[in-house]
Structures are given as C-alpha cells and as structure tokens.
Amino acid sequence: MPNFDSFQELLTYCDQHACSISEAALQYEEAYSGQDRDAILAGMRQILQQMRDTVASGITSQEKSMSGLCGGDAKRIMDFMAQPNCFLSPIEMKMIAYGLATLEENSRMKRIVACPTAGGSGSVPAALLAVEHEKQVNPEQTLKGLIAGGVIGEITARRMFLSGSAAGCQAEVGVASGMAAAGLVEMMGGTPKQVVEAAAISMQNLMGLVCDPVAGLVEVPCVVRNGLSGVQAAAAATMALAGVQSFIPMDEVVEAMAAVGKLMHPSLKETAEGGLAQTKTAKIFTERFKAPKTVSEIIDEQKPPSH
Ligand code: SF4
C-alpha cells in the first residue's frame, strides 16, 4: 500500500513501480479513499472543469469585488495581449490573466477551487490551463498535471499547516506555486524526479513570503500574487525540465518552510498588523472600510446645507 510521508518515499515508489507521479498519486488515493479509479478520475475532472469555468468567467468580467479593491485586471491583461508594447508571450500573459481571474472571482464570492487554499487558488489553473490552451496539450495530460500537483500539496500538508494565519503566504501562494510547477512538469512528460525538483525550486523562491492582506480581505496583495505565481511556477518547471536541480531536497525545503512559518512574527500571519496591510494607504482604506457610513449619515450628507 503506498504511503507517502515524504517526497523521498514518493520518488522511491515511482522508481520501484516504474510509474509517474500522477499514477503513484492515483494508487495512493485508491488505497486511502476507498474509491475506485474511475470515481477518483471523475472527481478530478469535475475539479478541473470548475477551474476552467472560473477562469472563463473571470477573464471577461469587469465586476468589482464588494470592497472595490479588485476586479477587472484579468480582462485588462487579456486585452493588453494584442497591444504592440506587450513584450511577454501569449502563454505568459494567459498565466497572469488566469491567476488574476481566479482570485478576482474568489473576491466576488463566485465558486473557485481551493488549491491548496482559496488565497492560493490561482497558481495551478493559471499554469496548467495556459499551457494547455497555448500548446494544444491534450486535456488528459492536464488532468495528470492536476493529480501530480495534488499529491505535492498532500505531502506538504502533512508537514506544515497550509494557511496564511499559521505560516504566512509562503504556505498558500508559495505551496500553490510548487504544486503548479510540479503539475506542469508532469503535464509535459517530465520524470518523477523533475516533477519534485520543480516544486522544490518554486517553493524555495517564495519562502518567507508574509501574509499581509489589506483590511484582512483576500484581495490585496493576494490577487496580484496569484497573477504572478503561475509564471514563476512555469519558470521553475522549465528549469527542472532542463535538468536544473535544487541543491536542497524537497523534503528539506518543506521542513525549512515550516520552520520559517513558526519563526514568522504574528503580525505577518493574516492579522493585517504588518507588511502591506500597515502602509499608509492600507490604513486609510481599512478605516473607511471598517467604519462604513450609516444610512442616516448618508441621508444627512445629501441634504442641502441649511443657512
Ligand atoms: S496574503 Fe495571506 S490572505 Fe492573501 S493569499 Fe497570501 S496567505 Fe492568503
């Protein structure tokens, strides 16, 4: 029975059974969930379809979030792709747009797939779907990428809490970028070792990332971080496919990230007491947002001045 307490165990299993990471993950899921393979795959297809639906609606919407802090940037990126001064490739532009789209939909209270959390939900769909769309990858390969990314998140979650309040944004967007990088390598036919290396490279680059949401809302800086993390994951995946290896093994990267999370000051763990949340602009916004005017105050304001 597969038991992956560590990434080394996952790689050893793949080696001994001559299988891919996604195949090992499926065997693991069959053993632990009690579901058969068809049921697991049906569930994963449903998750992938929801990611597609979220991206599709998010890239066309100009609706603002309830706070007004975000909304419309995914569409801006899609529109900018056709401009002559756009110097990124369509694949990179879509990674940015899809990541923004997912977080903007989250901020509009629309349905998203937490991957591994709502705050980190943009990286995996951004990376996988942009590559699928621009490289005409078979959707079944995308599904394998999602499954491989999933087992990276599962093993990481056994070692550390995946929440900004427990370990900072490194545990949300950071881990999501590792899952996305791993998923891309699987999708492109990389070896199990390359899949894990990609995750290690991507996650170490976001180690120490603090959680500092303005007004405690999952909008600023969360939305733009998700717009960027898919591109970073793609860069890490490319490095791994080219043969670049992480000097620090993935198991130790996760241990280090967990330790950094413990060392992180509480003001930097979703309390909105540090980082961007404590900038002058953020404080002004927070004061207005948390003390909205009452209806009678608004009516009073609209009355003509008495002389
Ligand atoms: S800054 Fe905090 S709330 Fe925002 S995505 Fe990162 S962990 Fe989540």
Side-chain angles (χ1 to χ4, degrees):
M1 190 185 230
N3 181 29
F4 307 138
D5 279 331
S6 71
F7 291 97
Q8 189 50 55
E9 283 175 46
L10 173 65
L11 287 174
T12 301
Y13 186 88
C14 290
D15 201 31
Q16 288 173 345
H17 295 81
C19 69
S20 64
I21 295 274
S22 57
E23 176 56 33
L26 274 173
Q27 290 179 16
Y28 168 90
E29 192 67 15
E30 279 181 295
Y32 283 95
S33 70
Q35 290 183 297
D36 65 24
R37 176 172 292 242
D38 287 345
I40 294 166
L41 286 172
M44 293 303 285
R45 283 199 180 89
Q46 207 176 350
I47 285 169
L48 191 53
Q49 186 56 48
Q50 182 57 56
M51 288 177 167
R52 295 183 195 285
D53 293 346
T54 301
V55 164
S57 56
I59 55 174
T60 54
S61 178
Q62 289 181 298
E63 184 187 334
K64 285 278 185 191
S65 63
M66 273 173 63
S67 73
L69 271 178
C70 71
D73 285 343
K75 184 173 185 320
R76 275 185 196 95
I77 295 294
M78 292 301 286
D79 292 345
F80 188 63
M81 276 174 70
Q83 296 303 311
N85 57 344
C86 175
F87 55 83
L88 292 180
S89 69
I91 201 163
E92 291 158 337
M93 291 296 283
K94 285 189 177 173
M95 282 172 182
I96 298 171
Y98 294 1
L100 293 174
T102 302
L103 259 283
E104 286 180 349
E105 287 292 86
N106 181 56
S107 302
R108 297 181 186 113
M109 305 295 160
K110 301 281 170 62
R111 183 177 291 178
I112 55 99
V113 177
C115 186
T117 63
S121 59
S123 311
V124 170
L128 300 193
L129 296 180
V131 170
E132 180 191 285
H133 294 166
E134 285 300 308
K135 292 278 180 194
Q136 283 79 47
V137 174
N138 185 326
E140 286 302 297
Q141 280 299 111
T142 314
L143 190 66
K144 286 182 184 172
L146 181 63
I147 293 167
V151 79
I152 298 296
E154 162 74 13
I155 298 172
T156 304
R158 289 180 172 209
R159 305 282 192 79
M160 61 181 281
F161 291 113
L162 302 189
S163 79
S165 57
C169 198
Q170 57 167 5
E172 295 203 16
V173 174
V175 173
S177 81
M179 294 168 66
L184 279 178
V185 174
E186 179 81 7
M187 199 173 157
M188 302 311 286
T191 65
K193 182 152 174 43
Q194 287 173 329
V195 170
V196 175
E197 290 294 330
I201 292 168
S202 203
M203 282 171 60
Q204 65 193 259
N205 195 44
L206 291 180
M207 190 172 296
L209 188 64
V210 302
C211 174
D212 50 355
V214 170
L217 302 167
V218 188
E219 298 189 41
V220 175
C222 323
V223 175
V224 292
R225 280 184 185 162
N226 277 266
L228 291 167
S229 65
V231 180
Q232 147 150 339
T238 304
M239 289 167 78
L241 283 167
V244 175
Q245 294 188 22
S246 168
F247 179 69
I248 309 294
M250 178 62 173
D251 283 308
E252 294 178 37
V253 170
V254 174
E255 276 170 27
M257 191 175 260
V260 167
K262 287 185 184 139
L263 288 169
M264 209 176 264
H265 192 269
S267 65
L268 302 171
K269 294 201 268 195
E270 214 169 331
T271 53
E273 290 173 356
L276 293 171
Q278 282 300 306
T279 55
K280 187 175 151 198
T281 302
K283 282 183 183 169
I284 293 169
F285 172 82
T286 304
E287 204 173 302
R288 286 198 198 133
F289 181 71
K290 296 220 160 145
K293 289 177 180 154
T294 63
V295 174
S296 56
E297 281 171 334
I298 293 168
I299 292 170
D300 283 347
E301 269 183 13
Q302 289 172 344
K303 282 180 189 161
S306 54
H307 297 286

